[in-house]
Amino acid sequence: LGEHVMYGSYQGEPVEWRVLDKKDREILLLSEYGLDAQPFDTSGKSRVDWKDSTIRKWLNDDFYNSAFSEKEKENIVESKSEGFEEYNTSMNLTGGGKPYAYLERETEDKVFLLSNTELCAYFSEDPYPGCYSDPYAHKELLCYPTAYAKQQLETRYQTETCGWWLCNHVYEDDSVELVSAYGQGSGTSRENIKANTKSIAVRPAMWVTWQSDMEMVEANQQVE
């Protein structure tokens, strides 16, 4: 883990991915940079879950078809995830159990967004389990947008980093979780925002069958 690979291209630039997990011959990839700026949902509804969101359709249609060749598509695995229960907490229930605080991605997708519990599992261990927030934020949560994404983003932060979407709502909340960026060099997932904003970057994730000819690269710190 901690490896980086190049796979596919978007808006004329090769896409760099961070390896988050490995299972047999399959690897979980997260784009190293924010690749575009898209609303989570454009339907105008007050509450839209991941399975019905326009960003899910965009990732598995527009992005999928523009970023990967037919050969590359053959290696992308359709996957389903219900998140990591150990990084979730039950809401208003005695004795634990569902429903959980964070609604997980329970659909089968080629390309998707990480959930809050996946974020907790794959990034550095949070000293305050299950809750990325100041002063418990981590620098590795920061995301830098590509040059193309910078042009699409509506400015929210006085910093070179950008916020990026997660796939889940907080239970009984009509706002969507994201990983925020801060000028002091830390990131947190403890901010919610309305689904139709275009000020948040997209970091796609996907499971891919490992290929021996995949190009490995050293991680860069940020996009210039």
Side-chain angles (χ1 to χ4, degrees), residues 16 18 23 37 148 180:
E16 180 178 340
R18 184 184 304 191
K23 294 180 180 178
Y148 174 79
S180 298

Side-chain angles (χ1 to χ4, degrees), residues 186-203:
S186 64
T188 172
S189 68
R190 303 302 296 166
E191 180 181 353
N192 304 327
I193 196 167
K194 297 300 181 182
N196 62 357
T197 181
K198 198 180 177 182
S199 59
I200 309 302
V202 182
R203 291 183 79 178

Side-chain angles (χ1 to χ4, degrees), residues 31-182:
S31 67
E32 182 64 14
Y33 304 109
L35 301 183
D36 205 332
Q38 292 287 329
F40 187 86
D41 187 72
T42 59
S43 68
K45 296 179 180 178
S46 60
R47 170 59 175 265
V48 177
D49 292 335
W50 161 256
K51 64 183 177 65
D52 301 314
S53 65
T54 55
I55 201 170
R56 180 190 176 206
K57 183 179 186 301
W58 180 83
L59 282 168
N60 286 278
D61 188 350
D62 296 39
F63 175 77
Y64 176 75
N65 287 314
S66 63
F68 307 109
S69 67
E70 292 304 314
K71 182 177 180 180
E72 289 168 335
K73 289 178 183 177
E74 293 176 0
N75 299 320
I76 300 174
V77 180
E78 193 169 68
S79 64
K80 177 180 179 180
S81 173
E82 295 185 358
F84 292 81
E85 293 189 8
E86 63 268 33
Y87 292 107
N88 217 328
T89 55
S90 297
M91 299 290 289
N92 303 320
L93 295 177
T94 57
K98 296 181 179 180
Y100 286 132
Y102 299 105
L103 300 181
E104 301 290 348
R105 178 180 63 90
E106 297 180 339
T107 56
E108 292 188 353
D109 302 291
K110 294 281 190 178
V111 190
F112 52 91
L113 302 175
L114 293 184
S115 72
N116 185 79
T117 62
E118 289 171 326
L119 183 82
C120 293
Y122 291 127
F123 285 78
S124 293
E125 184 176 353
D126 196 331
Y128 188 66
C131 180
Y132 278 101
S133 61
D134 290 330
Y136 304 110
H138 296 285
K139 191 172 183 179
E140 63 266 31
L141 295 181
L142 293 179
C143 175
Y144 294 88
T146 61
Y148 174 79
K150 276 185 181 180
Q151 296 173 2
Q152 313 307 312
L153 284 165
E154 296 173 356
T155 302
R156 293 184 73 235
Y157 308 107
Q158 298 301 314
T159 174
E160 289 299 307
T161 58
C162 57
W164 47 287
W165 289 116
L166 298 177
C167 77
N168 49 298
H169 291 273
V170 177
Y171 186 63
E172 293 185 340
D173 194 332
D174 64 358
S175 55
V176 186
E177 272 227 321
L178 65 135
V179 178
S180 298
Y182 291 97

